[in-house]
Amino acid sequence: MIREEEALGKAYDARLMRRLLGYARPQFWWILLALGLTVIVTASTIAQPYLVKIAIDNDINTVSLPMVTYPIGQAPAGVPAVPFDGRLFVRVKALPTPPASTTPVYTILAQGGQTAMIQGPMPHQAFTIKNGGHAVQIGTRLLPAVPVPVAVMSRFRQQDVRGLELIGILFLGALLLAFLANYLQAYILQWVAQSAIFSIRKDVITKIEGMPAAFFDKNPTGRLVTRATNDVEALEEMYSSVMVNMIRDGLLLVGVVVIMFQMNTYLAFVSIAVLPVVFIAANIYRNKARMAYRNVRLALARINAFLAENISGMRVVQTFQRQSAQEEKFRSANGAYRDAGIREIRLFAIFRPFMDFLYTGMVAVLVWFGGGSILDSALTFGVVYAFIQYIQLLFQPINDVTQNYSILQSAMAASERLFVLLDHPAELTDPPAPRALPAAEGRVAFDHVSFAYTADNWVLRDVSFEIEPGQTVAFVGATGAGKTSIMSLLARFYDAQQGRILVDGVDIRDVKQAELRRRIAVVHQEVFIFAGTIRQNIALNQPLSDQEIVRAAQLVGADRFITRLPHGYDEPVQERGSTFSTGQRQLLSLARAVAADPAILVLDEATSNIDTESEQQIQMALENLAGTRTMIVVAHRLSTIQGADRIFVMAQGQIRESGSHQELLAQGGLYYDLYRLQYKEDFKLT
Amino acid sequence: MRHFRALIPYFRRHRWFYVFGVGALLGADIAQLILPQVLERFVNTVQRAGAVQSDLLPYALALLALGIIIFATRFLWRNFVQGAARLIDYELRRDLFHQFTLLSPNYFNHHKTGDLMAHATNDLQAVRMALSMGVVMIADTAFLITSTLIIMFSTISPSLATFALLPLPLAAVVTGLLGRQIHLRFRAVQDQFSTLSEHVQENFSGIRVVKSFVQEQPELERLMGHSREYFDRNMRLVRIWALIQPLVQFIQGLAFVVALVYGGILVVRGTITLGAFVAFTSYLGLLNWPMQSIGQLVNLIQRSGASLQRLDAIFSERPEITDRPGAVAPAKPLEGALQVRHLTFTYPDSTRPATSDVSIDLPAGRTLALIGRTGAGKSTIISLLLRVFDPPPGTIFLDGIDILDLPLATLRETVAYVPPDNFLFSETIAQNIAFADSELGRDVIEEAAARAAVKGEILQFPDGFETLLGERGVTLSGGQKQRVSLARALAKTAPILILDDSFSAVDTYTEELILGGLLDLRQNRTTILVAHRVSTIKHADLILVLEDGRVIESGNHQSLLAERGFYSRLHQRQLLEDRLGGSPEGRGA
Ligand SMILES: Nc1ncnc2c1ncn2[C@@H]1O[C@H](COP(=O)(O)OP(=O)(O)O)[C@@H](O)[C@H]1O
Ligand SMILES: Nc1ncnc2c1ncn2[C@@H]1O[C@H](COP(=O)(O)OP(=O)(O)O)[C@@H](O)[C@H]1O
Ligand SMILES: [Mg+2]
Ligand SMILES: [Mg+2]
């Protein structure tokens, strides 16, 4: 049985993953392209804070950088030089080779809108600009200074503005690149994902359709539909986001750590010290989330099962006046779902804010240690700023992990169920080298057939019989005697454990199921009507003319009610034919069988909900049909069957008596008793 | 939008959760807004010549404190708001199921089970999202955007704020424009998914027919056609949907570039401090989430609005069949005398009457039988009597009272009914038999099973009466189901017993056994039998032969035989057709 909704799946299973990726293999080159685009996006993401760092350190925060002087016209070529005070000023940083340590340096100090130039480096202590910029007081010392007017200041900063513009253009380029790469990547991945789930869905539906009847006995339809629809759908995000996101997050993590160490080893160590805490927290969360997620799903599955049943059975609930009792039962299922949901919320409410706390805490740590290093002149401010940005990037993959994790988890759970289904042995297969059935005659033989649905529960015991072409035979017997089982074996819905079944002299296991079933049409006890029109229900994809359809309907007497419908043969049919009476549905499925024109027609209590008079009419029609074809009829009403060439009387899985109506009556056995029961009145009369 | 009004009572019931939740949310927002201020002061401090590390301690500690506040407030709003959404979700689902129990069977004939289930799960989930993330996003975006803008303009630099924010409205415009298209394409995807699911469902339910008629290949092709269309519609959606996120990020990046270049120049010019620049970029960062979530928010509201509309349609569905105003249970229990007067009934969506001018007079305790061709209207009469559909006023009476004047509960308590489809629940056999009254004793259950001739078979299951049915348990054969359904009706002590075609899956021998067992029960119960076999009904006090909704013959077995009409012909045919061939007379008892 395939019932794993309750199983606690692993979040990651290499074996499942390999198979899932197998479905994406035809798109291998596209995935590679998407990966390439991911690298571009990640590089752009990592480059952005670094560009800001450069802007801050090289352009924005540069007013007090030390400068050296050159006489007018003698500054090195290609280096920004600003004329002031009869000399050319050039930043030390801008020089290709550092000047001799004895070369005097000059520094511009800015304070409260005043700017003044002093000789010597930036002072470490607090300073005050005095006398309109002609002096600077540092501690108790008073240094001479030259005031720098605003117009000259902007000449000094010209190079910085240009630098900022350049950074802006680079930044814009990075953004544009990321935008294009992002869009293309999302589109390609969606295409990959849709292609993969299209082929999985195809495999799943093909597999289910190919399963034998026993499989459908054990697995309720609703569950199988979920496999082909929602379970397959649960894989979509796995292909379209998780697959590449995990790689992107890995790249991002590595990239950020590398760039951190490149900028400053000390702060990098301080920053990554938080990672173990993060990983431990994420791990604890993962384990708990798994349980919580499972409970939510389980509770939801119960709600669905309850609703499905109670909506279909609402009429029974109402006629038995049990509404409040069912509401009470629903309340407990619904409450379990609510509680499971609340537990999940609580878990998430701790984890996500805790990550946010760690991030803010890290900023505090950087402020303390990074700020300290700036004061020691061991670091520039741009580096600390970049670190704060990178810490944020460092947390992004970790926050993504929780989301990826739940996607992965549902994908794994779904794929586990899907693969269990796909790996389900096909139990009942076509032979590797099928034989062709000889020309249709309609000969049927059971040769010492024994059969059990479940181990050792023998439903048929050593059944043997032969039906000649063109004969009409009837099976009678109590409910549960095994009549339907014989018909199911004949159409090879199940394989018998012992014995052989021959159709036109060939063992049915040696031919293709499709070929066998084209020869046999079974009208089942339980009717099935497709949504569509009456016409479609009779023709079932066969290219039949209107005439042929009407003839089949007339033959079984369905024409009478069909022509009275507002749209006649084109009358739309609801799901399951719910607006037709049971008998009318049976008439439709009879017409369908007749329209299929088989060599062997099997009617398994196909007329049980049809009134006797209509049944007689059908009977007569079918007798006309017979002669050229073999007919096997299962019925309770003896009037239906007494015209048969041969009657098999079944009891407890065995054929107890057989013969024509008269022969059986003459035997005075089971059939005679059955007959007498049904016609007791008649015996009294005569 | 107007559909959201339906939520008000639920909202009101949990208003304190929302008040506290939104309060906590705003607390977290305020903490976030303070954070850049701390950074600004920190930056300006490190820039100051002569500062020492201990000057930084207040900032580090302030950040730590903000971190703790953010943690606590976020923990609280998640619990309050999302918890409240869960509670409302629960109540809505509870009320929805209650509404289902009020709706008439006709409603369920015209609405697919799968769709109704989707309302109770998917639509409610969309509403729940609106009630949690929707509320959060609205409060968050509104508060964060306004306060960030105020801070940017008033405390940092109006010109910088103006230039940097210039690109952002573009993001709103783009998401707004694309949002409409996305909504339409998303709907198209969802519709196709339901179509696909329906066809898969149908294919699997009818698998025996599919296989019998070798329709696997054409069916598979049909399904794959739907699957291919689903693929195409998804790609059509993605073409614009995949644009949103990168585009919004790009526009936000644009704003950041402006802030970097122009803000940098302002620092260079000495108009703002480096600290103010850092604070400004942090505030810009705070706007990212609200800007992105505006698009999501619109989408969320649209989706949940559509879901609410569907739910609203169910909630506002007036149950077709209800107690009439002033319907009261009669003082003494009903005895079960049935009168039908000139009953003519046409199904709501049909043009031809299903019953025409049917009249019945059945004293309490007697047995009525209905016989006739398929579609003659037998089940229709039963449905009207049970008020599955309401009969016209003044046509059906119990003990002289128009059944329309009886409370539904009284009417249905008066009747024990075996429906033709033998619907059983996925519970134990005992629970199914005791469906009418879960307090029923084991002896009553077993007796009912014995009368329905199914006790022996039940006891052969390993778990006997405790055998679980349905998905998680055993599947019964059609005949077994029918007899358990019969036992369920027999276990209910009601003055009227109705068996609608309840022997169709039972062989003659078992039927005879059951009918024999029912004889003494029938003594003091009004019984209505619908059957096809004369042998089933020949003991009835009154037999009606129906044809095309009309009573064409009525009487008892003897008188009907004497009439030599349809009934007698039927009887003859059922009995004597073989005489032409066989001669059972000789073997008479
Ligand atoms: N799909 C099934 N799985 C398991 N047991 C089954 C299944 N179908 C029928 N049975 C059992 O097999 C026996 C024979 O059933 P069946 O062939 O349907 O009898 P009949 O058609 O004569 O009424 C019964 O005891 C029934 O409960
Ligand atoms: N829910 C319904 N809606 C519309 N027509 C219906 C519905 N149920 C039955 N009918 C129609 O009413 C007529 C009588 O049906 P019914 O009473 O079920 O017949 P019987 O029980 O005698 O076989 C049929 O023509 C059938 O198609
Ligand atoms: Mg059967
Ligand atoms: Mg009926």
Side-chain angles (χ1 to χ4, degrees):
Chain A
M1 244 201 255
I2 304 194
R3 191 169 78 211
E4 281 80 23
E5 257 96 12
E6 287 148 51
L8 179 56
K10 280 193 267 184
Y12 181 79
D13 182 323
R15 191 180 42 85
L16 291 179
M17 199 57 173
R18 249 198 310 280
R19 279 184 76 174
L20 282 177
L21 290 182
Y23 278 96
R25 166 142 315 143
Q27 276 77 45
F28 178 77
W29 293 107
W30 287 111
I31 296 174
L32 214 61
L33 180 58
L35 278 180
L37 293 169
T38 301
V39 173
I40 294 178
V41 174
T42 312
S44 158
T45 311
I46 294 179
Q48 290 173 14
Y50 200 78
L51 287 174
V52 181
K53 173 206 166 279
I54 295 174
I56 291 176
D57 285 347
N58 289 6
D59 302 314
I60 298 176
N61 201 18
T62 48
V63 66
S64 300
L65 286 180
M67 294 174 286
V68 289
T69 54
Y70 293 94
I72 302 284
Q74 291 181 21
V79 176
V82 182
F84 176 60
D85 208 17
R87 288 168 290 179
L88 282 177
F89 285 81
V90 173
R91 283 192 189 149
V92 173
K93 246 178 94 177
L95 292 173
T97 48
S101 57
T102 52
T103 322
V105 296
Y106 299 85
T107 306
I108 297 175
L109 299 181
Q111 187 174 55
Q114 293 192 77
T115 37
M117 185 183 285
I118 56 166
Q119 186 173 356
M122 177 78 181
H124 282 293
Q125 297 107 306
F127 59 83
T128 331
I129 298 177
K130 296 212 152 162
N131 302 342
H134 289 285
V136 170
Q137 182 179 3
I138 301 172
T140 51
R141 289 187 303 141
L142 199 64
L143 291 184
V146 183
V148 188
V150 175
V152 178
M153 254 331 271
S154 66
R155 254 190 279 142
F156 270 108
R157 303 304 300 264
Q158 193 60 44
Q159 48 181 313
D160 296 332
V161 171
R162 208 158 302 133
L164 270 174
E165 281 161 2
L166 185 67
I167 294 276
I169 288 166
L170 284 179
F171 207 106
L172 212 58
L175 282 176
L176 210 56
L177 210 58
F179 166 65
L180 292 176
N182 242 331
Y183 176 69
L184 275 180
Q185 186 225 44
Y187 187 81
I188 291 171
L189 284 176
Q190 191 65 27
W191 192 75
V192 170
Q194 292 296 335
S195 306
I197 68 175
F198 179 84
S199 44
I200 294 180
R201 184 166 279 137
K202 182 171 184 180
D203 281 4
V204 168
I205 293 178
T206 311
K207 176 76 184 188
I208 295 178
E209 268 206 334
M211 294 307 279
F215 180 80
F216 291 89
D217 291 346
K218 287 181 228 141
N219 296 288
T221 316
R223 195 178 295 155
L224 297 177
V225 174
T226 307
R227 294 292 169 278
T229 55
N230 296 334
D231 280 347
V232 175
E233 216 50 36
L235 302 177
E236 190 260 332
E237 280 190 290
M238 209 284 296
Y239 289 109
S240 67
S241 63
V242 174
M243 198 166 63
V244 165
N245 276 1
M246 297 220 289
I247 293 173
R248 187 198 60 198
D249 288 346
L251 279 177
L252 199 61
L253 209 66
V254 172
V256 167
V257 170
V258 165
I259 207 159
M260 276 178 162
F261 273 96
Q262 186 266 329
M263 286 192 303
N264 187 285
T265 323
Y266 169 63
L267 274 195
F269 272 122
V270 170
S271 303
I272 62 168
V274 74
L275 286 183
V277 182
V278 170
F279 285 128
I280 289 169
N283 221 35
I284 293 175
Y285 167 78
R286 230 181 34 177
N287 285 325
K288 298 215 179 265
R290 193 165 100 188
M291 288 298 288
Y293 170 79
R294 164 186 176 253
N295 289 337
V296 170
R297 262 196 72 104
L298 247 165
L300 187 61
R302 297 232 168 94
I303 285 190
N304 274 328
F306 186 92
L307 282 175
E309 182 164 299
N310 278 270
I311 291 173
S312 345
M314 191 52 78
R315 183 186 167 133
V316 175
V317 171
Q318 287 174 343
T319 47
F320 278 80
Q321 200 56 37
R322 297 301 287 168
Q323 294 93 324
S324 48
Q326 295 309 96
E327 278 183 64
E328 203 48 55
K329 282 181 197 164
F330 186 62
R331 200 161 296 185
S332 80
N334 196 12
Y337 180 52
R338 173 197 58 201
D339 296 342
I342 288 180
R343 274 195 294 278
E344 203 184 28
I345 289 170
R346 193 146 302 157
L347 193 64
F348 211 64
I350 294 178
F351 179 73
R352 273 306 292 262
F354 182 66
M355 287 295 140
D356 297 341
F357 167 72
L358 284 184
Y359 167 68
T360 318
M362 275 316 293
V363 176
V365 168
L366 284 175
V367 161
W368 177 249
F369 289 101
S373 302
I374 296 173
L375 293 179
D376 295 343
S377 298
L379 265 185
T380 59
F381 174 71
V383 173
V384 174
Y385 181 89
F387 262 93
I388 293 178
Q389 300 297 310
Y390 281 125
I391 282 283
Q392 197 162 16
L393 286 185
L394 208 55
F395 273 84
Q396 186 182 312
I398 290 149
N399 284 334
D400 277 359
V401 157
T402 61
Q403 199 191 342
N404 286 344
Y405 185 80
S406 50
I407 294 173
L408 203 58
Q409 193 172 28
S410 46
M412 285 294 148
S415 63
E416 171 108 50
R417 291 194 290 270
L418 289 172
F419 290 139
V420 166
L421 171 70
L422 289 175
D423 293 343
H424 203 282
E427 283 163 14
L428 210 151
T429 48
D430 280 340
R435 285 179 59 184
L437 278 175
E441 279 190 295
R443 187 187 302 276
V444 172
F446 270 52
D447 181 14
H448 299 288
V449 172
S450 294
F451 171 62
Y453 288 101
T454 50
D456 288 340
N457 261 322
W458 294 105
V459 166
L460 296 179
R461 299 157 215 259
D462 197 24
V463 171
S464 296
F465 61 83
E466 271 187 55
I467 302 171
E468 300 295 323
Q471 266 193 341
T472 297
V473 302
F475 282 83
V476 297
T479 335
K483 307 178 294 291
T484 299
S485 305
I486 287 188
M487 307 312 146
S488 300
L489 288 184
L490 179 59
R492 208 164 168 231
F493 283 139
Y494 303 85
D495 270 340
Q497 282 85 353
Q498 290 167 22
R500 293 189 309 155
I501 300 167
L502 307 172
V503 166
D504 290 332
V506 181
D507 190 323
I508 59 172
R509 281 170 298 196
D510 293 339
V511 297
K512 278 193 178 158
Q513 292 169 58
E515 198 182 351
L516 172 71
R517 289 182 192 139
R518 270 192 207 105
R519 193 150 292 190
I520 305 172
V522 186
V523 181
H524 298 272
Q525 215 163 346
E526 276 153 30
V527 225
F528 187 85
I529 304 292
F530 294 93
T533 62
I534 299 254
R535 183 188 305 280
Q536 286 166 348
N537 264 289
I538 296 177
L540 283 186
N541 296 317
Q542 284 188 97
L544 291 186
S545 69
D546 284 2
Q547 243 178 334
E548 287 169 301
I549 291 173
V550 174
R551 215 178 64 86
Q554 277 171 343
L555 205 61
V556 301
D559 188 56
R560 206 172 85 109
F561 88 86
I562 297 174
T563 46
R564 284 197 203 171
L565 298 168
H567 302 283
Y569 281 84
D570 292 312
E571 179 80 4
V573 180
Q574 303 282 323
E575 194 181 25
R576 309 262 161 138
S578 61
T579 50
F580 295 110
S581 79
T582 330
Q584 289 168 336
R585 278 178 251 166
Q586 280 188 339
L587 290 179
L588 277 182
S589 73
L590 269 170
R592 179 193 290 160
V594 170
D597 192 27
I600 302 168
L601 183 60
V602 178
L603 307 182
D604 184 359
E605 297 190 37
T607 50
S608 60
N609 290 89
I610 296 173
D611 59 286
T612 313
E613 197 176 355
S614 310
E615 197 191 7
Q616 299 284 324
Q617 190 185 324
I618 295 168
Q619 202 61 38
M620 261 151 34
L622 293 179
E623 269 160 30
N624 295 338
L625 213 70
T628 55
R629 72 190 75 215
T630 307
M631 292 245 292
I632 306 176
V633 181
V634 177
H636 285 309
R637 285 180 227 162
L638 292 185
S639 58
T640 317
I641 46 179
Q642 58 202 4
D645 297 317
R646 258 156 85 78
I647 299 165
F648 295 101
V649 184
M650 295 202 64
Q652 279 138 23
Q654 286 173 313
I655 294 182
R656 290 292 181 76
E657 294 168 12
S658 74
S660 70
H661 180 63
Q662 284 77 22
E663 285 165 9
L664 286 173
L665 283 182
Q667 271 182 29
L670 266 174
Y671 186 78
Y672 176 76
D673 288 342
L674 278 170
Y675 184 79
R676 213 175 39 138
L677 261 171
Q678 188 153 5
Y679 298 116
K680 202 150 58 182
E681 193 66 17
D682 186 41
F683 286 96
K684 278 191 200 133
L685 286 174
T686 48
Chain B
M1 257 303 152
R2 100 199 128 79
H3 300 289
F4 283 93
R5 221 177 301 151
L7 291 176
I8 290 174
Y10 296 91
F11 226 83
R12 188 165 295 156
R13 227 173 335 215
H14 302 285
R15 60 181 174 280
W16 291 115
F17 278 89
Y18 280 103
V19 169
F20 287 127
V22 172
L25 178 70
L26 299 186
D29 285 348
I30 290 170
Q32 275 189 293
L33 289 168
I34 295 175
L35 216 140
Q37 299 287 336
V38 178
L39 283 182
E40 176 175 355
R41 290 184 172 77
F42 154 73
V43 175
N44 289 340
T45 306
V46 282
Q47 290 297 102
R48 206 179 66 221
V52 291
Q53 197 177 21
S54 61
D55 293 339
L56 302 178
L57 194 60
Y59 305 120
L61 290 180
L63 285 173
L64 215 54
L66 286 175
I68 290 169
I69 291 170
I70 290 175
F71 171 75
T73 45
R74 287 197 172 153
F75 173 78
L76 288 177
W77 77 247
R78 276 174 186 275
N79 273 307
F80 279 125
V81 176
Q82 296 185 328
R86 273 279 172 191
L87 295 181
I88 294 178
D89 171 77
Y90 165 84
E91 288 168 6
L92 279 169
R93 193 176 290 104
R94 179 195 65 195
D95 296 349
L96 188 65
F97 187 72
H98 178 71
Q99 175 73 2
F100 285 158
T101 67
L102 298 180
L103 293 172
S104 66
N106 194 36
Y107 181 85
F108 295 101
N109 279 345
H110 289 91
H111 293 82
K112 293 185 186 132
T113 309
D115 287 349
L116 295 178
M117 282 172 62
H119 296 317
T121 50
N122 300 350
D123 282 336
L124 277 184
Q125 188 182 342
V127 172
R128 189 175 74 220
M129 284 298 288
L131 284 171
S132 54
M133 291 326 282
V135 168
V136 168
M137 282 179 186
I138 289 174
D140 214 27
T141 11
F143 184 76
L144 268 186
I145 290 182
T146 43
S147 42
T148 309
L149 290 187
I150 289 172
I151 293 173
M152 280 178 157
F153 276 97
S154 64
T155 72
I156 301 179
S157 158
S159 68
L160 177 56
T162 310
F163 285 120
L165 294 180
L166 218 50
L168 289 186
L170 211 62
V173 170
V174 164
T175 43
L177 285 181
L178 293 182
R180 175 99 204 109
Q181 269 301 309
I182 288 181
H183 180 65
L184 290 177
R185 296 188 184 193
F186 183 75
R187 275 286 287 279
V189 167
Q190 293 231 301
D191 289 349
Q192 184 58 23
F193 188 72
S194 337
T195 308
L196 177 65
S197 305
E198 271 163 34
H199 283 92
V200 169
Q201 157 96 36
E202 177 168 70
N203 179 273
F204 292 172
S205 319
I207 193 76
R208 276 168 191 267
V209 176
V210 171
K211 281 175 183 286
S212 292
F213 292 87
V214 201
Q215 295 293 310
E216 289 99 326
Q217 207 47 43
E219 279 288 307
L220 186 66
E221 274 158 28
R222 207 158 63 99
L223 290 180
M224 283 305 114
H226 289 301
S227 188
R228 169 63 58 185
E229 175 67 20
Y230 181 63
F231 178 101
D232 291 341
R233 290 190 183 189
N234 259 306
M235 290 318 294
R236 230 171 292 151
L237 170 66
V238 158
R239 218 162 291 152
I240 49 176
W241 176 75
L243 204 57
I244 289 271
Q245 183 79 357
L247 202 57
V248 169
Q249 274 177 10
F250 178 71
I251 292 170
Q252 286 168 347
L254 229 51
F256 189 82
V257 173
V258 174
L260 177 64
V261 176
Y262 185 60
I265 291 174
L266 289 183
V267 178
V268 165
R269 285 194 198 144
T271 316
I272 61 171
T273 61
L274 183 60
F277 169 81
V278 169
F280 188 87
T281 55
S282 303
Y283 282 121
L284 210 51
L286 275 187
L287 283 181
N288 280 352
W289 192 75
M291 291 309 289
Q292 284 179 24
S293 68
I294 285 181
Q296 283 177 35
L297 185 62
V298 171
N299 190 11
L300 190 77
I301 289 176
Q302 268 172 350
R303 273 171 70 180
S304 56
S307 289
L308 264 177
Q309 187 178 353
R310 287 191 286 269
L311 289 171
D312 216 27
I314 301 180
F315 276 121
S316 53
E317 183 78 31
R318 287 246 317 284
E320 288 169 54
I321 297 181
T322 50
D323 287 347
R324 270 197 182 178
V328 281
K332 69 183 169 61
L334 291 171
E335 290 177 6
L338 171 70
Q339 256 194 326
V340 176
R341 290 188 202 145
H342 307 293
L343 172 63
T344 300
F345 175 77
T346 309
Y347 280 102
D349 42 8
S350 170
T351 48
R352 238 165 31 87
T355 65
S356 312
D357 198 27
V358 172
S359 295
I360 304 171
D361 197 344
L362 187 70
R366 298 300 172 85
T367 299
L368 166 72
L370 302 176
I371 195 163
R373 280 167 174 263
T374 309
K378 306 179 294 291
S379 299
T380 303
I381 294 176
I382 306 292
S383 298
L384 293 172
L385 173 57
L386 285 166
R387 289 187 63 191
V388 168
F389 289 87
D390 266 346
T395 52
I396 304 184
F397 299 85
L398 277 183
D399 291 3
I401 308 170
D402 189 334
I403 58 168
L404 293 175
D405 290 329
L406 288 172
L408 276 173
T410 311
L411 175 67
R412 288 172 180 164
E413 272 156 19
T414 310
V415 179
Y417 169 59
V418 186
D421 59 358
N422 307 314
F423 187 91
L424 298 178
F425 290 87
S426 312
E427 298 182 327
T428 67
I429 294 179
Q431 282 169 330
N432 266 292
I433 296 179
F435 189 63
D437 177 5
S438 45
E439 309 280 275
L440 278 190
R442 176 48 63 93
D443 47 332
V444 181
I445 294 173
E446 292 197 14
E447 197 203 309
R451 277 186 197 279
V454 69
K455 184 177 172 185
E457 274 156 87
I458 294 173
L459 289 178
Q460 275 178 6
F461 292 123
D463 295 328
F465 277 89
E466 299 310 320
T467 303
L468 209 54
L469 301 185
E471 297 203 359
R472 287 151 187 281
V474 305
T475 358
L476 297 181
S477 76
Q480 288 167 333
K481 262 195 238 166
Q482 196 161 52
R483 279 171 290 148
V484 172
S485 159
L486 184 61
R488 174 171 66 189
L490 295 180
K492 179 174 174 182
T493 34
I496 301 178
L497 175 65
I498 298 179
L499 309 181
D500 187 354
D501 210 357
S502 303
F503 299 105
S504 60
V506 173
D507 61 282
T508 330
Y509 173 73
T510 315
E511 177 183 340
E512 195 70 23
L513 210 69
I514 298 171
L515 284 171
L518 286 186
L519 269 182
D520 63 312
L521 261 182
R522 268 156 59 178
Q523 298 287 298
N524 39 27
R525 282 197 196 189
T526 306
T527 307
I528 303 176
L529 287 170
V530 174
H532 290 301
R533 281 175 233 159
V534 167
S535 60
T536 316
I537 59 165
K538 61 194 172 208
H539 297 297
D541 299 298
L542 175 62
I543 299 171
L544 299 184
V545 183
L546 292 169
E547 166 105 358
D548 279 339
R550 292 176 190 282
V551 179
I552 52 167
E553 289 167 29
S554 73
N556 64 19
H557 183 64
Q558 303 302 339
S559 75
L560 284 175
L561 284 186
E563 233 176 80
R564 305 224 149 266
F566 181 98
Y567 184 83
S568 117
R569 274 205 314 281
L570 185 72
H571 185 58
Q572 293 295 318
R573 205 170 282 114
Q574 284 187 356
L575 292 182
L576 309 172
E577 241 203 3
D578 63 303
R579 279 209 180 141
L580 306 168
S583 52
E585 300 100 311
R587 326 200 132 264

